[in-house]
RNA sequence: GCCCUCGUAGCUUAAUGGACAGAGCAACUGCUUGCGGAGCAGUAGGUUGUGCGUUCGAAUCGCACCGAGGGUACCA
């Protein structure tokens, strides 16, 4: 936004430094850390330190200050767009005039609209694999973090200029599916799904899991597994039918979460390729076949000459049935056959770090030159209070639909109280937007590597650092603009003096483009979550200290434009987090 | 045992080797009332897990230790 000024001042500084015989100096610009004024800070420490290293006997901080003062004197009044300059503590601080800066920021935001903060196309394609649910099973709060994180990462990457392919990988085969079908045939034959597919599917699964403990039941399940392996048409048909039910259930969930996928991969579609791949690994001598006494393994440490680093990867069970690894290897290959990828990201919880490291290394050993483009985006688990882990087996899960229902109920009650004249449909809609926003924000506002302890009250706390607070700021901004009752004023000359809260708000808005870039590089939605909260807080501060509609002519127009720009930034941040920005609540 | 990740105020976090470790929630003390309940002013809370090292300069980089979590051949 200030490239011209930057270039100008940089060349001036370089000219001056050359006169001191300091060549090849790299000038670094950063934000001035004091609030209330804008500008660029140039630390002179690196230059002074370079001189010290070159053998001059100097005190670095003192020399930095000397250089800063020298530059200040050299520049004189020729500041090219900056209003004043100071040399302090080893920094050269270049200040913009408040009104020029404010005007430029607000005009840029309004002009770029929803694109503000986003970057031009980089010509790179990234695949993000996330969600990965098992069909025929529950969808609980633990799975939720994965979808929310993956979805937000996709939006951030897109905004940062990447072409993104959203991939899902569904566990549609395996013992859990056979158990389910066995119970269905035995106890639920002919039944069709209840309205909430996933919930219904899970009830049958949970029951099957319990019954499986009885030995004769287990024998029956095994027998059914054998029929499956022989591709019994009746079983295949049942599998296809029930799988479709499960997928329809997931679609309901993804719709509620505002998520979609570009490409679905199924475990069932890579199983055969996996078996073939294992055979070729054995043939090439990379894998050791210990069947039937043992499994087929790859001793990665032995192959690489490392110790305790990569360990042993089991690629096929001793009974020749497949494992995760059997399918993940061909899947990785398939992805690169299907698309020209510059990066392939796996959003999978941290417990699988070693496993994914092994998979990536194995592909490298196999000679795939794209192996270095694979990346495991690890995130920590969701816990329940009292250090209880989510486990379907122990029944210690909070199911997705229960969570959303309860959250919506609470959110709707608040909406009802604040805004009783809304229609029932609108209340329901807003209640859901607020509820899902609160849940998503809870998951995204802590770092990927930090455990989220799921607490009903904390997740649904609509005050404080939470999504409803941000959504509410967005609504308030909209309300002012509505009341202004006219088209947004054209850009005008801005006031010379701004209120402190206006300055803070504008300052935060300028940070969006850089923060999007950083969030994309580091795969950290938290950065956007924090910024969105700060913008909302700054907006509320402004709202409480500055009148907009009753402000003097001139000021009023400026403030209306500021409100519109702030609303735009809030909307953009929320969009990046996958959180809806309602217009009333 | 070995490997990985993480330790900043009660909680969530900021500072990307440089200007006083900066906020917000929660807590405490007052005051105020709505351009949408909630807001404002203030207080308190930190030897950045510990110790060494590198550096003119370390929350930031390195090493060691301590603590938490996870993983460690046929679970997913």
């Amino acid at each position: 936004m200030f490239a011209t000024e930057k270039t100008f001042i940089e060349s001036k500084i370089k000219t001056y430094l050359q006169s001191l015989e300091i060549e090849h100096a790299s000038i670094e610009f950063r934000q001035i850390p004091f609030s209330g004024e804008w500008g660029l800070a140039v630390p002179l420490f690196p230059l002074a330190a370079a001189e010290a290293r070159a053998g001059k006997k100097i005190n670095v901080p003192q020399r930095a200050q000397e250089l800063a003062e020298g530059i200040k004197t050299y520049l004189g009044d020729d500041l090219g767009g900056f209003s004043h300059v100071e040399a302090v503590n080893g920094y050269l601080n270049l200040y913009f005039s408040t009104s020029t800066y404010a005007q430029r920021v607000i005009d840029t935001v309004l002009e770029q609209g929803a694109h503000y903060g986003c970057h031009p196309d980089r010509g790179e394609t990234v695949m993000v694999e996330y969600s990965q649910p098992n069909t025929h099973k529950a969808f609980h709060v633990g799975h939720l973090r994965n979808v929310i994180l993956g979805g937000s990462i996709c939006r951030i990457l897109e905004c940062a200029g990447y072409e993104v392919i959203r991939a899902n990988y569904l566990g549609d085969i395996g013992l859990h599916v056979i158990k389910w079908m066995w119970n269905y045939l035995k106890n639920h034959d002919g039944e069709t799904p209840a309205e909430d597919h996933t919930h219904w599917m899970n009830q049958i699964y949970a029951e099957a899991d319990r019954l499986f403990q009885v030995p004769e039941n287990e024998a029956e399940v095994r027998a059914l597994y054998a029929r499956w392996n022989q591709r019994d048409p009746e079983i295949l048909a049942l599998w296809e039918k029930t799988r479709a039910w499960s997928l329809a259930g997931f679609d309901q969930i993804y719709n509620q979460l505002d998520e979609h996928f570009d490409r679905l991969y199924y475990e069932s579609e890579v199983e055969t390729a996996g078996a073939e791949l294992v055979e070729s690994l054995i043939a090439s001598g990379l894998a050791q076949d210990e069947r039937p006494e043992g499994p087929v393994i790859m001793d990665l440490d032995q192959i690489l000459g490392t110790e305790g680093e990569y360990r042993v990867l089991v690629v096929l069970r001793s009974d020749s049935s497949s494992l995760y690894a059997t399918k993940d290897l061909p899947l990785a290959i398939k992805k690169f056959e299907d698309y020209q990828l510059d990066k392939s990201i796996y959003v999978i919880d941290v417990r699988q770090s070693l496993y994914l490291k092994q998979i990536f290394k194995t592909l490298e050993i196999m000679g795939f030159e794209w192996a270095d483009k694979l990346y495991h985006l690890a995130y920590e688990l969701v816990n329940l209070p009292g250090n209880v882990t989510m486990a379907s087996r122990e029944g210690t899960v909070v199911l997705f639909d229960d969570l959303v229902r309860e959250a919506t109920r609470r959110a709707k009650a608040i909406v009802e109280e604040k805004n009783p004249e809304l229609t029932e449909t609108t209340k329901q809609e807003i209640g859901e937007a607020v509820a899902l926003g609160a849940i998503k924000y809870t998951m995204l506002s802590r770092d990927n590597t930090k455990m989220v302890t799921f607490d009903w009250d904390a997740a649904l706390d609509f005050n404080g650092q939470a999504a409803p607070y941000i959504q509410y700021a967005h609504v308030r901004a909209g309300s002012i603009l509505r009341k202004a009752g006219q088209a947004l004023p054209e850009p005008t000359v801005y006031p010379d003096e701004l209120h402190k809260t206006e300055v803070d708000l504008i300052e935060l808005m300028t940070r969006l483009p850089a923060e999007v870039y950083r969030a994309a590089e580091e795969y950290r939605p938290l950065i956007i979550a924090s910024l969105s909260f700060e913008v909302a807080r700054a907006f509320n501060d402004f709202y409480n200290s500055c009148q907009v509609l009753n402000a003097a002519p001139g000021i009023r127009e400026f403030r209306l434009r500021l409100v519109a720009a702030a609303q735009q930034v809030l909307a953009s941040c929320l969009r990046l987090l996958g959180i809806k920005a309602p217009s009333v609540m």
Side-chain angles (χ1 to χ4, degrees), chain A residues 21-41:
Chain A
E21 293 177 11
I22 301 174
E23 306 282 344
H24 313 297
S26 68
I27 312 291
E28 188 189 335
F29 289 95
R30 53 180 72 179
Q31 293 286 319
I32 291 176
F34 317 118
S35 70
E37 283 195 283
W38 294 299
L40 297 172

Side-chain angles (χ1 to χ4, degrees), chain A residues 461-536:
Chain A
D461 180 7
F462 296 148
N463 292 311
Q465 194 162 349
Y469 180 83
I470 301 159
Q471 291 171 317
Y472 187 61
H474 177 266
V475 168
R476 278 177 141 178
S479 171
I480 294 177
L481 296 172
R482 237 190 341 271
K483 290 218 168 123
Q486 64 189 60
L488 199 60
E490 289 300 309
T492 47
V493 175
Y494 283 3
D496 288 332
E497 290 285 318
L498 296 186
H499 192 270
K500 185 185 178 311
T501 57
E502 295 175 318
V503 172
D504 287 345
L505 181 55
I506 292 166
E507 159 71 30
L508 285 164
M509 298 194 316
T510 62
R511 285 188 11 208
L512 185 61
E515 296 292 59
V516 166
Y517 182 78
R518 201 158 69 98
E521 292 306 299
E522 300 175 13
Y523 308 116
R524 283 173 72 208
L526 162 68
I527 292 172
I528 303 299
S530 301
L531 180 64
S532 67
F533 177 74
E534 285 186 66
V535 172

Side-chain angles (χ1 to χ4, degrees), chain A residues 44-50 52-53 58-66 90:
Chain A
L44 281 309
F45 293 94
L47 294 183
R53 269 193 296 276
I58 49 172
N59 173 309
V60 171
Q62 204 180 317
R63 175 62 178 157
Q65 176 63 15
E66 242 173 71

Side-chain angles (χ1 to χ4, degrees), chain A residues 116-412:
Chain A
Y116 175 71
C118 293
H119 300 261
D121 186 12
R122 304 169 61 112
E124 283 180 49
T125 305
V126 182
M127 176 178 280
V128 182
E129 181 199 299
Y130 63 107
S131 192
Q132 308 113 330
N134 281 330
T135 63
H136 302 77
K137 276 175 107 171
F139 202 98
H140 60 70
V141 176
H143 298 119
L144 207 49
R145 186 171 192 188
N146 186 300
V147 185
I148 291 169
L149 175 62
S152 180
I153 290 293
C154 288
R155 289 168 218 257
I156 290 168
L157 287 172
E158 275 167 350
C159 181
Y162 293 93
E163 165 104 14
V164 175
I165 298 162
R166 293 151 207 254
N168 198 347
Y169 179 45
L170 297 120
D172 61 343
I173 49 170
L175 185 59
H176 70 277
V177 178
I178 307 294
K179 276 193 220 169
W180 192 97
M181 291 198 290
W182 167 80
N183 190 28
Y184 180 80
L185 288 172
K186 184 144 181 165
N187 300 312
H188 301 272
D189 201 11
E191 289 180 23
T192 51
E195 195 185 335
D196 185 329
H197 286 216
T198 310
H199 197 108
W200 180 79
M201 297 288 291
N202 187 53
Q203 277 172 349
I204 294 179
Y205 175 74
E207 188 181 55
D209 203 47
R210 273 198 311 279
L211 295 171
F212 188 70
Q213 308 305 320
V214 181
E216 62 246 40
N217 288 339
E218 187 186 333
E220 284 183 33
V221 171
R222 297 283 171 204
L224 189 64
Y225 213 151
R227 282 177 70 192
W228 158 267
N229 282 331
Q230 287 150 21
R231 297 292 178 266
D232 183 323
E234 197 189 322
I235 303 305
L236 274 180
L238 178 64
W239 172 69
E240 275 180 19
K241 184 168 80 176
T242 56
R243 183 179 87 147
W245 288 342
S246 205
L247 296 178
F250 292 151
D251 277 344
Q252 293 174 338
I253 292 171
Y254 294 137
N255 275 336
Q256 270 188 296
L257 287 170
D258 207 8
E259 289 298 331
H260 70 275
F261 294 93
D262 303 309
R263 177 67 159 99
L264 301 183
Y265 290 103
Y266 298 93
E267 272 188 51
S268 57
E269 73 179 301
V270 284
E271 199 180 28
T272 318
E276 288 163 10
L277 193 112
V278 168
E279 286 311 318
S280 77
L281 281 171
I282 296 169
S284 68
L286 284 170
Q288 298 159 26
D289 188 358
E290 298 174 352
R291 287 174 296 175
E293 293 78 28
V296 180
I297 60 156
M298 298 210 23
D299 190 337
L300 294 169
D301 275 328
Q302 193 189 56
I303 294 169
L304 296 161
T306 48
E307 220 166 292
E309 203 182 340
Y310 291 97
R311 306 221 156 220
V312 166
L313 178 65
V314 178
V315 292
L316 201 64
R317 287 200 188 91
S318 45
D319 66 358
S320 297
S321 63
S322 61
L323 294 109
Y324 259 28
T326 325
K327 292 164 282 197
D328 265 319
L329 292 169
L331 176 63
I333 297 166
K334 196 169 173 45
K335 287 176 177 177
F336 280 85
E337 284 168 355
D338 291 348
Y339 301 94
Q340 195 107 42
L341 299 179
D342 295 287
K343 197 111 197 170
S344 180
I345 297 171
Y346 294 71
V347 181
I348 300 182
D349 79 62
V350 67
R351 290 175 303 185
Q352 302 197 35
S353 295
L354 174 62
Y355 168 70
L356 285 163
K357 196 167 114 178
Q358 292 176 324
I359 292 292
F360 297 169
K361 202 71 191 175
T362 300
L363 289 161
E364 187 191 312
I365 292 169
M366 290 170 75
F368 294 103
E369 77 285 354
W370 41 256
D372 61 342
K373 293 175 177 164
L374 303 167
Y375 179 78
H376 174 205
L377 175 51
Y379 63 92
E380 262 294 353
L381 302 180
V382 179
N383 257 9
L384 295 171
N387 213 19
V388 178
T389 320
M390 295 265 176
S392 347
R393 228 164 264 277
E394 276 101 64
T396 53
V397 285
V398 177
L399 294 177
F400 175 79
D401 56 303
D402 293 337
L403 172 64
V404 173
R405 199 175 305 124
E406 174 63 14
T408 306
R409 195 185 62 74
R410 294 200 200 186
K412 207 175 139 193

